[in-house]
């Protein structure tokens, strides 16, 4: 009998908690320290990875100082094949990084399951040069099995300050079946969403335990949330173009 997808996800989430719990807390603490000192959190991913940047942006119960770097040519709606090709193009990140508002006090989270393509690696390198705290959500399994496509020969996990492993095997699948010729059912988005929400939750708790009111959105579907949210938007909108 084949394993159910939800069972596999529960197994991976338990592994994430048991093996990377300290890392999640550590990244959350560092992120909170940056927010406390006026920094914001930028997130970047190409292809499906961009969904995690949107997952935590303008989100009820989530941090306000969040800026997703949404380069449309690297998302899927302008052509999935084209976006995949551009992610592999050396130097392409330079075409949009100059338009970002990344500052030294910020955090930059780069999401790439393979961690081998030039664009995510160049985003991480740019953020390091600026002086940001740089984190990767990636699969460290790729480093041992496939070569980097970046001119440096490095994978994303070798460049950043902290790495959070999304537990995806090479190929980003979760299941097999004796009547299916290839492995199937991706898991990187489910685990990635758990990682990023865990980190943000840790950051919120860390701020609160220091006596600092965390900048957290209320749901727009709760009565009287507008005043609370608008005050936070007013504080950060100069740094976050999409607010």
């Amino acid at each position: 009998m084949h394993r159910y997808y939800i069972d596999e996800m529960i197994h991976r989430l338990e592994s994430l908690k048991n093996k990377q719990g300290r890392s999640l807390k550590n990244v959350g603490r560092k992120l909170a320290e940056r927010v406390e000192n006026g920094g914001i959190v930028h997130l970047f991913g190409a292809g499906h990875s961009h969904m995690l940047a949107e997952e935590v942006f303008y989100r009820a119960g989530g941090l306000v100082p969040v800026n997703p770097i949404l380069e449309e040519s690297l998302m899927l709606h302008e052509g999935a094949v084209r976006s995949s090709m551009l992610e592999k193009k050396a130097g392409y990140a330079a075409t949009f990084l100059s338009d970002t508002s990344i500052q030294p006090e910020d955090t930059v989270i780069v999401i790439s399951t393979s961690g081998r393509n030039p664009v995510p690696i160049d985003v991480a390198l740019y953020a390091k040069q600026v002086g940001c705290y740089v984190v990767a959500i990636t699969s460290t399994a790729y480093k041992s099995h496939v070569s980097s496509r970046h001119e440096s020969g490095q994978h994303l996990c070798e460049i950043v300050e902290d790495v959070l492993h999304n537990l995806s095997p090479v190929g980003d699948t979760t299941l097999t079946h004796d009547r299916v010729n290839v492995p199937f059912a991706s898991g990187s988005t489910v685990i990635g969403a758990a990682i990023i929400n865990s980190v943000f939750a840790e950051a919120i708790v860390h701020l609160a335990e220091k006596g600092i009111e965390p900048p957290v959105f209320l749901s727009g579907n709760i009565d009287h949330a507008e005043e609370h949210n608008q005050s936070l938007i007013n504080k950060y909108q100069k740094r976050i173009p999409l607010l």
Side-chain angles (χ1 to χ4, degrees), residues 107-129:
T107 298
V108 176
I109 300 175
V110 182
I111 307 125
S112 171
T113 293
S114 75
R116 70 184 304 215
N117 290 319
V119 169
I121 292 173
D122 281 340
V123 171
L125 288 170
Y126 176 86
K128 284 186 67 176
Q129 290 170 358

Side-chain angles (χ1 to χ4, degrees), residues 188-203:
S188 61
T189 301
V190 172
I191 303 302
I195 288 172
I196 193 62
N197 280 291
S198 294
V199 166
F200 278 32
E202 292 294 338

Side-chain angles (χ1 to χ4, degrees), residues 18 32 41 46 63 92 96 98 100 119 156 170 184 213 217:
N18 294 334
V41 187
L63 286 171
Y92 190 75
F96 62 87
S98 61
T100 63
V119 169
L156 179 63
V170 174
F184 57 98
E213 184 176 356
F217 276 123

